[in-house]
Amino acid sequence: MHIEQDDLTRTEVHDLLREHLANMYELSPPFSVHALDLSKLRAPGITFWTVWDGGLLLGCGALKELDATHGEVKSMRTPSALRRKGAGRAVLEHIVAEARSRGYRRLSLETGSIDAFKPARKLYESFGFTDCGPFADYKPDANSTFMSLAL
């Protein structure tokens, strides 16, 4: 398994991001979906990584700079058919290490609050993320769980 910074040009990555967005809209009302599409992931201030096993895409994740001391985890996804291989943990570990190397003091994220997001919340908790209030431009939302990690 290896992680690489990705330029968002490969078909496999596009397919995974389409799966991600479709699933988010299946699970949450439109006003509560905060997943980024391909064009928004290409914005300045966002770094995107993919996890590969040879030529097989196992997952992705991104780091968005909110300010000089605060980053946000975005677009964490493993293909539904390839879960439980450690790709999510590996990319999150990579994102946390990158946030530390950038000198961020805080790393935050938004995820869903329903049971379907419980595995994601458990992963974040295992890294030390704890519940917090909305941050950046987020508003309180019963469908969202906000989490933060002091670095």
Side-chain angles (χ1 to χ4, degrees):
M1 182 179 333
H2 72 280
I3 298 171
E4 60 187 56
Q5 190 169 331
D6 200 282
D7 64 4
L8 294 153
T9 59
R10 292 178 274 196
T11 303
E12 300 95 330
V13 175
H14 296 184
D15 292 345
L16 180 56
L17 291 172
R18 272 193 295 277
E19 176 187 312
H20 180 54
L21 283 169
N23 187 233
M24 295 303 97
Y25 281 100
E26 288 170 3
L27 295 171
S28 302
F31 60 84
S32 294
V33 175
H34 303 288
L36 301 178
D37 65 19
L38 191 59
S39 66
K40 290 181 180 156
L41 284 168
R42 289 184 170 134
I46 297 179
T47 309
F48 183 81
W49 292 275
T50 47
V51 183
W52 298 86
D53 182 7
L56 184 63
L57 177 61
L58 296 179
C60 64
L63 177 58
K64 178 180 180 181
E65 183 169 290
L66 299 175
D67 64 41
T69 63
H70 191 187
E72 180 181 4
V73 177
K74 296 296 292 181
S75 300
M76 288 282 296
R77 184 68 181 197
T78 55
S80 55
L82 298 172
R83 302 239 163 103
R84 299 285 197 208
K85 296 187 181 300
R89 178 167 293 283
V91 77
L92 183 58
E93 185 175 285
H94 186 85
I95 290 169
V96 170
E98 177 65 20
R100 284 191 171 112
S101 76
R102 291 182 184 185
Y104 294 168
R105 291 194 299 256
R106 183 173 166 207
L107 188 58
S108 300
L109 62 89
E110 180 276 337
T111 190
S113 61
I114 65 171
D115 284 347
F117 293 95
K118 190 172 185 177
R121 292 191 306 270
K122 289 239 179 250
L123 173 65
Y124 301 133
E125 288 168 359
S126 76
F127 276 77
F129 283 85
T130 57
D131 289 349
C132 67
F135 58 92
D137 295 332
Y138 291 103
K139 306 287 184 240
D141 182 347
N143 299 296
S144 290
T145 298
F146 302 100
M147 303 179 84
S148 189
L149 174 66
L151 301 172

